[in-house]
Amino acid sequence: MKQYDEIIVGAGSAGAVVAARLSQAPERQVLLLEAGPDYPSVEELPGDLRDPWISLVAHDWGFAATATPGRQFPYPRGKVTGGSSAVNNAAATRGLPPDFARWVELGNTEWSFEQVLPWYRKLEHDADRDGDFHGKGGPIWIERPHRVQPLSRAFIDAAVAIGCAEVDDLNAPTAIGAGAVPHNVRDGIRQSTALAYLLAARSRPNLTVRSRCLVNRILIERNKAVGVEADAGAGGEKFFGRRITLCAGAIGSPAILMRSGIGAHAELERLGIGVAVDLPGVGANLIDHPVIMVVARAKTGVEHDPDVFWEVTLRGNAGGSARPHEMMFPLLSAYGEKILRDYFAAPGYPVIALCPALQQPRSRGTLTLTSADPRLAPKIDLNMFSHPDDLRLVAEGMHIARSLLLRPELAGYVDRIAAPDAPTFSSRERLADYIRANCYTGYHPVGTCRMGPECERGAVVDQHGRVRGISQLRAADASIMPNIVSAPTNLTCIMIGERIADWLCEEQD
Ligand SMILES: Cc1cc2nc3c(=O)[nH]c(=O)nc-3n(C[C@H](O)[C@H](O)[C@H](O)COP(=O)(O)OP(=O)(O)OC[C@H]3O[C@@H](n4cnc5c(N)ncnc54)[C@H](O)[C@@H]3O)c2cc1C
């Protein structure tokens, strides 16, 4: 029976990075386990994994999330090497200094913006920017449009007209305002971590990638992780390793911990799982960005590339909030048939949508298991708007979005607001009902194995990703964020992978 030095569970945004970095040392035997399929070359990559605008069709776990009581919606997660980085919309944006100041306030002193910046720089090759805040030569190719579409230009002008700044670089630490979104797309192909990190690493003889391998649980002996039990198609199989790192994402990692007996005592007993460590924070603290669309019917006959879906965004505040980064307003344009069909159910006319997205929600959800069987989906309860500030801020964001769409700068593009209708906008109660019935998220779940100091009962891992109570076991992915960042989450997950991989390389345990 082969003994590995490192077993990494999940080949997503963080896991592919951890495996690639650890396998740089040829003497280290690394095993990367992934539930989904693997496409080992660019040539073999199917269309949905190439095109950054197709993200919800295949290579998905097929989860559903409860948004508010009685309302569910599909909750996509990538199931393939590259994970959700292989199916996402490839917006490449970083968290901001105040986000990491909050992480430090919560007891994670190694995660200030100054400390994470070198890792954000290391992961990227920013094709357009350099200087103190950007990296050159890193694995993730990042670029911005060199000339935005006239509609996007008009949107930036509208934002400037209401007092916002025009932002040249949305990844600069002080970037508050409107500007072009950086994307990790090169030659039209989404640069997932499977391409950016694994492609170069996979020929190493010390790296084994096992795809279509569903990990059930961690094997634990006397409070020490010694391996994992997985189903690779031929029933249960065991893999043994000196250290195990969970990178199965904000849904997968807490689920594996719970199936291994690491979680809230009462919850594990309910499922008939023997308790290894009573850690009530496992599956708690689920956070995601609420997003809603204000949809306009667009004028036809304008100059616009039908393949451009999301080019510009506005970062600002709402509801009198003191946080200048409280909201994002991505502008979506759907002129092409494919995008209209995939995102707007083909309404028969082109669409412009401005989408207020709350960046620092106060509501917290939970992830629980429905069964100890790894093939059954967990219960994802987002508990949206359980904190009243969230509903108030999203409603305010919708009013801002509507007034922006109706600005004279956009008059050449916007025919009329299609949804919500005017009576809904004029009644606070109706707008609140509309939000509860129509709000989605950015598909950015984080926080379900949050890091924090030992004195904090809800903390699942320490700030190096070490799971409390079990040695040789770590988590490194979206699940360990103590609070969500004010941006889409992919680059932050990659940064977490880089940072924890570096600690793993240094530590000799
Ligand atoms: C549709 C969509 C659009 C998005 N758009 C953007 C965007 O434009 N920009 C942005 O920054 N972020 C975006 N995100 C979010 C971003 O992609 C995620 O935050 C990030 O990829 C999460 O990284 P992770 O490493 O935590 O998890 P993942 O990348 O999801 O990786 C987890 C991996 O573990 C595997 N796994 C899980 N359970 C098991 C198991 N039991 N056994 C074996 N393997 C397992 C999964 O198959 C997966 O490969 C989007 C996400 C989605 C789904």
Side-chain angles (χ1 to χ4, degrees):
M1 176 211 329
K2 184 165 177 177
Q3 168 88 13
Y4 292 90
D5 295 303
E6 310 280 349
I7 299 180
I8 293 117
V9 178
S13 297
V17 176
V18 176
R21 292 302 185 196
L22 287 174
S23 61
Q24 278 173 337
E27 69 284 1
R28 199 181 275 134
Q29 293 297 320
V30 178
L31 173 65
L32 176 60
L33 300 173
E34 166 56 45
D38 181 34
Y39 302 97
S41 68
V42 182
E43 293 68 37
E44 288 161 87
L45 213 57
D48 59 307
L49 302 184
R50 286 170 172 262
D51 184 338
W53 306 141
I54 307 181
S55 62
L56 308 179
V57 285
H59 302 100
D60 182 23
W61 281 83
F63 295 143
T66 301
T68 49
R71 177 169 172 244
Q72 279 208 329
F73 52 67
Y75 203 60
R77 298 281 88 207
K79 189 177 187 181
V80 60
T81 46
S84 299
S85 82
V87 303
N88 70 13
N89 290 127
T93 44
R94 298 171 174 177
L96 296 175
D99 298 332
F100 295 103
R102 180 81 188 122
W103 291 23
V104 171
E105 259 172 57
L106 292 168
N108 304 291
T109 50
E110 308 240 27
W111 293 85
S112 67
F113 184 74
E114 291 67 29
Q115 285 160 307
V116 302
L117 180 60
W119 306 97
Y120 273 132
R121 293 183 71 193
K122 184 178 183 189
L123 68 87
E124 73 177 7
H125 174 82
D126 192 313
D128 314 308
R129 301 286 183 278
D130 48 24
D132 290 348
F133 295 117
H134 287 296
K136 291 281 182 203
I140 301 278
W141 177 279
I142 293 179
E143 63 182 26
R144 300 153 188 79
H146 292 137
R147 184 187 154 271
V148 296
Q149 297 292 308
L151 163 65
S152 305
R153 183 63 253 167
F155 172 69
I156 294 173
D157 292 343
V160 169
I162 63 162
C164 302
E166 177 168 354
V167 171
D168 166 61
D169 174 16
L170 270 170
N171 275 341
T174 52
I176 307 290
V181 180
H183 278 95
N184 50 305
V185 175
R186 190 178 190 183
D187 299 329
I189 300 177
R190 177 196 290 109
Q191 298 300 298
S192 71
T193 54
L195 290 186
Y197 283 84
L198 277 187
L199 206 56
R202 61 170 67 243
S203 60
R204 295 174 190 153
N206 61 322
L207 173 63
T208 306
V209 181
R210 284 287 299 266
S211 56
R212 300 186 193 277
C213 184
L214 178 68
V215 171
N216 175 15
R217 64 186 180 102
I218 309 294
L219 301 170
I220 298 169
E221 283 174 9
R222 288 185 293 282
N223 287 347
K224 177 178 166 190
V226 296
V228 304
E229 181 190 272
D231 185 348
E237 207 175 325
K238 289 179 179 167
F239 302 92
F240 292 92
R242 193 170 59 81
R243 296 194 294 200
I244 320 291
T245 304
L246 282 180
C247 301
I251 309 301
S253 289
I256 294 170
L257 285 181
M258 286 188 250
R259 289 197 295 267
S260 313
I262 304 167
H265 193 288
E267 185 60 17
L268 298 177
E269 272 194 342
R270 178 182 71 79
L271 294 155
I273 299 171
V275 180
V277 189
D278 177 19
L279 275 187
V282 177
N285 192 46
L286 172 60
I287 319 171
D288 200 343
H289 294 134
V291 183
I292 190 152
M293 288 187 185
V294 177
V295 179
R297 181 179 178 136
K299 288 184 176 164
T300 52
V302 298
E303 181 196 339
H304 189 82
D305 180 344
D307 290 333
V308 170
F309 176 53
W310 178 19
E311 199 176 46
V312 283
T313 197
L314 166 66
R315 180 186 270 148
N317 68 355
S321 163
R323 301 179 192 183
H325 51 283
E326 187 80 74
M327 303 292 290
M328 279 261 210
F329 295 86
L331 181 80
L332 307 182
S333 49
Y335 282 78
E337 236 175 72
K338 179 168 73 70
I339 291 171
L340 274 166
R341 191 188 53 235
D342 291 352
Y343 288 86
F344 296 94
Y349 51 81
V351 160
I352 296 170
L354 192 52
C355 312
L358 185 60
Q359 297 301 292
Q360 289 295 307
R362 281 72 157 164
S363 306
R364 297 289 181 266
T366 52
L367 178 114
T368 46
L369 294 186
T370 51
S371 152
D373 183 341
R375 292 164 303 180
L376 299 184
K379 183 168 173 244
I380 303 166
D381 185 356
L382 293 168
N383 200 22
M384 289 167 92
F385 310 118
S386 50
H387 194 295
D389 281 0
D390 291 355
L391 194 61
R392 184 177 58 76
L393 289 164
V394 171
E396 175 70 14
M398 290 183 76
H399 283 289
I400 294 170
R402 178 172 184 265
S403 57
L404 270 168
L405 287 170
L406 295 175
R407 291 272 329 158
E409 294 79 7
L410 284 165
Y413 302 93
V414 170
D415 180 23
R416 62 179 169 79
I417 304 284
D421 58 18
T424 303
F425 267 114
S426 55
S427 151
R428 188 186 297 204
E429 289 71 32
R430 281 177 71 162
L431 190 58
D433 288 345
Y434 185 90
I435 292 169
R436 286 193 206 92
N438 292 283
C439 202
Y440 284 85
T441 77
Y443 308 129
H444 303 153
V446 306
T448 46
C449 303
R450 76 171 183 263
M451 62 170 130
E454 196 157 7
C455 57
E456 203 204 315
R457 194 153 152 70
V460 175
V461 300
D462 72 6
Q463 52 177 332
H464 286 232
R466 290 180 284 236
V467 175
R468 300 218 175 281
I470 302 288
S471 65
Q472 308 303 90
L473 178 61
R474 284 171 177 73
D477 56 23
S479 72
I480 73 166
M481 293 189 206
N483 192 21
I484 199 161
V485 289
S486 306
T489 40
N490 189 37
L491 284 195
T492 304
C493 294
I494 298 173
M495 179 274 285
I496 288 172
E498 286 277 14
R499 189 120 211 256
I500 291 191
D502 189 66
W503 279 324
L504 281 163
C505 290
E506 278 175 8
E507 287 167 16
Q508 298 301 319
D509 53 8

